[in-house]
């Protein structure tokens, strides 16, 4: 636990973790956010299509001044299985230039402003996808009676190759 911060590596380990209730609550919050943003619809997988797999990623985050721990869970698509021309056309990797950071810090100092970190919960979930992409239902959250359905992604999701571009 000292090496990895006590964060589970997968859904199964999260459900066996001593803090499983907190991890499960974090997963419920993520699923709620996905539903509120209309990120996907449950549909039967069309013939000739395949569904990408996904995984839960867990992270412990500390509050201000290293106070209370926050349990975060992210549903991430295994985008490394995407095929160019089928699941995506272009990829994009946003980068920032060091000179831009220096300008922001310089303006902050000269105008006597403060810099604060902003944590966006759903950064990648706001843009509609152009491609037709299907994903398996999240582990632990398959809808009863629709276990054989898949998620047709409407909006970008973490792990998709086109997510940063969206």
């Amino acid at each position: 636990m000292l090496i990895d911060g006590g964060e589970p590596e997968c859904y199964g380990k999260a459900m066996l973790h001593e803090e499983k209730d907190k991890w499960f609550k974090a997963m419920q919050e993520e699923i709620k956010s996905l539903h509120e943003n209309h990120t996907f619809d449950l549909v039967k997988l069309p013939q000739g299509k395949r569904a990408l797999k996904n995984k839960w990623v867990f992270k412990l985050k500390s509050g201000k001044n290293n106070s209370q721990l926050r349990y975060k869970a992210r549903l991430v698509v295994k985008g490394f299985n995407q095929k160019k021309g089928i699941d995506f056309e272009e990829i994009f990797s946003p980068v920032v230039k060091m000179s831009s950071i220096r300008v922001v810090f310089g303006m902050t100092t000269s105008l006597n402003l403060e810099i604060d970190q902003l944590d966006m919960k759903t950064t990648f979930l706001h843009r509609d996808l152009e491609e037709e992409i299907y994903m398996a239902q999240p582990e632990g959250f398959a809808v009863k009676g629709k276990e054989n359905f898949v998620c047709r992604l409407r909006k970008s999701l973490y792990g998709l190759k086109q997510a940063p571009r969206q």
Side-chain angles (χ1 to χ4, degrees), residues 18-32:
E18 62 187 35
E19 299 286 350
K20 71 178 180 181
D21 294 338
K22 292 177 181 176
W23 289 119
F24 190 71
K25 183 179 178 195
M27 288 186 282
Q28 288 176 317
E29 288 174 8
E30 174 78 352
I31 291 292
K32 180 182 176 191

Side-chain angles (χ1 to χ4, degrees), residues 109-154:
T109 303
S110 67
L111 297 173
N112 198 25
L113 299 174
E114 291 182 22
I115 293 180
D116 200 2
Q117 176 186 345
L118 180 63
D119 186 16
M120 297 293 290
K121 276 188 164 184
T122 57
T123 305
F124 282 21
L125 310 179
H126 294 291
R127 294 291 307 264
D128 293 333
L129 284 173
E130 297 169 7
E131 301 84 3
E132 190 175 327
I133 299 177
Y134 298 92
M135 174 187 78
Q137 289 189 57
E139 189 174 6
F141 291 89
V143 176
K144 289 185 179 159
K146 294 186 176 183
E147 290 88 353
N148 59 340
F149 281 44
V150 296
C151 303
R152 187 207 191 278
L153 296 179
R154 297 286 178 199

